[in-house]
Amino acid sequence: MWYQREIQLSAKKRGFHLITNEVLRELDAINNIETGLLHLFIKHTSASLAINENADPDVRHDVEAHFNQFIPEYAPYYDHTLEGSDDMPAHIKNITIGTELSIPISDGNLKLGTWQGIYLGEHRNHGGVRTIVATIHGQAI
Amino acid sequence: MWYQREIQLSAKKRGFHLITNEVLRELDAINNIETGLLHLFIKHTSASLAINENADPDVRHDVEAHFNQFIPEYAPYYDHTLEGSDDMPAHIKNITIGTELSIPISDGNLKLGTWQGIYLGEHRNHGGVRTIVATIHGQAI
Amino acid sequence: MWYQREIQLSAKKRGFHLITNEVLRELDAINNIETGLLHLFIKHTSASLAINENADPDVRHDVEAHFNQFIPEYAPYYDHTLEGSDDMPAHIKNITIGTELSIPISDGNLKLGTWQGIYLGEHRNHGGVRTIVATIHGQAI
């Protein structure tokens, strides 16, 4: 069984955001899968998908602070500067963190750990609406 | 054909560990797959999965040294410090390295390169037992 | 429907290279898939796969400059130095950027964003020919 759709994420400010609920409310099809996988793919090169802690919002703050420190704006070796000082770091953050994720499905639900949620890394100052392609495949219940 | 199970990894000290054999001895089901994929997903936000060199243990030492240098403890911009100085770096290491992997299966075996093995990155000082969800899907032999 | 083959990439110089066309010209089988996924897995521990911008070549230059700065050669804590000064950084770049990718397929084509292409990160000075395992699975058209 295969199911695929695009999901539009509302515009978010630069930083890391917990999007588990925003994604799952569009994916009732997961409830029909006994054993399978959900694949998420963000169709942008300046935003990322990751899995991390779903509880303390300080974690998301610190993750953003870390990547701003170690993937800086205005590095002297950047040639690609025409699209703004946040653009080239956004590309490198995307390559470092990743564009896509697969998450196991079991008995109609995502098989995440207790403390795991889905993160959007929005790396542009004004990234706007972002599009994810969600692909579900598995054995029907 | 779909097959899914959880695997408990024995507690390991902080650092990078080659876990290919510890994982595969729980996954005889791979031998029944002609063409397919093995998906591994670690249910924790302070440990990682990666593929890298299976030979010289110095590589694992140097990988640990690198990430300790470039994802440091006690960074002045960390707000999330209550769970210990190793906790926030562990979350960032997980986001940088990754939570999940897919590996091709061919003729009943993983199709890894000669020098490739599966790494667990244990980022906590005392992480304890770790759980992986393994999902196998493909065409039966 | 499952389809798997190995693709040999021509030898490339150290740096990031757009390989979308070099990969896709070997994968006509994608055209037979209505809904599915393409999985790419590089069988090496010193080269990487990523998705990023397919337009301005300055982006690839800046990505290479960034990773050379933040995953340096000659770090004082490296023990694994016998294979050359580019070897240990190459392993760490691979762990940071990644070994494998899944990309959605829809109506016989990859469902990439407008600005997305497939990158090879060649991290060795003389890496030579590289091998990718491509696995396609999905519903036939």
Side-chain angles (χ1 to χ4, degrees):
Chain A
M1 195 192 130
W2 286 82
Y3 173 87
Q4 189 177 74
R5 62 163 295 183
E6 289 196 348
I7 298 170
Q8 310 296 324
L9 299 178
S10 66
K12 293 179 176 58
K13 66 178 182 181
R14 178 168 160 173
F16 286 80
H17 303 270
L18 195 59
I19 59 167
T20 316
N21 291 340
E22 189 175 355
V23 168
L24 289 187
R25 74 180 180 220
E26 307 288 334
L27 295 177
D28 287 345
I30 291 172
N31 304 140
N32 303 323
I33 302 290
E34 172 98 26
T35 304
L37 290 165
L38 166 64
H39 181 255
L40 300 174
F41 183 93
I42 194 161
K43 291 175 79 177
H44 306 273
T45 61
S46 57
S48 305
L49 295 176
I51 303 282
N52 211 259
E53 211 214 70
N54 60 16
D56 184 358
D58 282 351
V59 172
R60 270 107 71 195
H61 164 274
D62 291 0
V63 172
E64 173 70 4
H66 165 82
F67 285 109
N68 288 339
Q69 181 77 16
F70 284 91
I71 304 177
E73 300 193 22
Y74 305 106
Y77 41 79
Y78 289 161
D79 288 339
H80 178 83
T81 54
L82 273 177
E83 296 182 50
S85 66
D86 58 329
D87 188 61
M88 195 57 228
H91 291 308
I92 300 170
K93 289 170 180 175
N94 170 243
I95 291 175
T96 302
I97 299 169
T99 296
E100 49 92 35
L101 285 174
S102 292
I103 304 172
I105 300 170
S106 175
D107 293 329
N109 291 292
L110 290 189
K111 215 169 163 62
L112 291 164
T114 309
W115 304 105
Q116 289 182 311
I118 303 168
Y119 277 25
L120 170 72
E122 172 55 76
H123 306 312
R124 297 303 306 267
N125 294 331
H126 304 286
V129 172
R130 299 296 198 172
T131 302
I132 288 176
V133 183
T135 305
I136 295 168
H137 54 130
Q139 283 177 317
I141 284 179
Chain B
M1 194 192 129
W2 286 83
Y3 173 86
Q4 190 177 73
R5 63 164 294 184
E6 290 196 347
I7 298 170
Q8 311 296 324
L9 300 178
S10 66
K12 293 179 174 60
K13 65 179 183 181
R14 178 168 160 174
F16 287 79
H17 303 270
L18 194 59
I19 59 167
T20 316
N21 292 340
E22 189 176 355
V23 168
L24 290 187
R25 74 180 181 220
E26 307 288 335
L27 295 177
D28 289 345
I30 291 173
N31 304 140
N32 303 322
I33 302 290
E34 171 98 26
T35 302
L37 290 165
L38 166 64
H39 182 254
L40 299 175
F41 183 93
I42 194 161
K43 291 175 80 177
H44 306 273
T45 61
S46 57
S48 304
L49 295 176
I51 303 282
N52 211 259
E53 212 213 68
N54 59 16
D56 184 358
D58 282 350
V59 171
R60 270 108 70 195
H61 163 274
D62 291 0
V63 172
E64 173 70 5
H66 165 81
F67 285 110
N68 288 339
Q69 181 77 14
F70 285 91
I71 304 177
E73 301 192 22
Y74 304 106
Y77 42 79
Y78 289 161
D79 288 340
H80 178 83
T81 55
L82 273 177
E83 296 181 50
S85 67
D86 58 329
D87 189 61
M88 195 56 229
H91 290 308
I92 300 170
K93 289 170 180 176
N94 171 242
I95 291 175
T96 301
I97 298 169
T99 297
E100 49 93 34
L101 284 175
S102 293
I103 304 171
I105 300 170
S106 176
D107 293 331
N109 291 291
L110 290 189
K111 214 170 166 62
L112 291 165
T114 309
W115 303 106
Q116 288 181 312
I118 304 168
Y119 277 24
L120 170 72
E122 172 55 75
H123 307 312
R124 297 303 305 267
N125 294 331
H126 304 285
V129 172
R130 299 297 198 171
T131 302
I132 289 176
V133 183
T135 306
I136 295 168
H137 55 128
Q139 282 178 317
I141 284 178
Chain C
M1 194 192 129
W2 286 83
Y3 173 87
Q4 189 176 73
R5 63 163 295 183
E6 289 196 347
I7 297 170
Q8 310 296 325
L9 299 178
S10 66
K12 293 180 175 59
K13 65 179 183 181
R14 177 168 161 174
F16 286 80
H17 303 270
L18 194 59
I19 58 168
T20 316
N21 292 339
E22 189 175 355
V23 168
L24 289 187
R25 74 180 181 220
E26 307 287 335
L27 295 177
D28 288 346
I30 291 172
N31 303 140
N32 303 322
I33 302 290
E34 172 98 25
T35 303
L37 290 165
L38 166 64
H39 181 256
L40 299 174
F41 183 93
I42 194 161
K43 292 176 79 177
H44 306 274
T45 61
S46 58
S48 304
L49 295 175
I51 303 282
N52 211 259
E53 211 213 68
N54 59 16
D56 185 357
D58 281 352
V59 172
R60 271 106 72 195
H61 163 274
D62 291 0
V63 172
E64 173 69 4
H66 165 81
F67 284 109
N68 289 339
Q69 182 78 15
F70 284 91
I71 304 177
E73 301 192 23
Y74 304 106
Y77 42 77
Y78 289 161
D79 288 339
H80 178 82
T81 55
L82 273 177
E83 296 182 50
S85 66
D86 58 328
D87 188 61
M88 195 56 228
H91 291 309
I92 300 169
K93 289 170 180 176
N94 170 242
I95 291 175
T96 301
I97 299 168
T99 295
E100 49 93 35
L101 285 175
S102 293
I103 304 171
I105 300 170
S106 175
D107 292 331
N109 291 291
L110 290 189
K111 214 169 165 63
L112 291 165
T114 309
W115 303 105
Q116 289 181 311
I118 304 168
Y119 277 24
L120 169 72
E122 172 56 74
H123 307 312
R124 297 303 305 266
N125 294 332
H126 305 285
V129 172
R130 299 296 199 172
T131 301
I132 289 176
V133 183
T135 306
I136 295 168
H137 55 129
Q139 282 178 317
I141 284 178

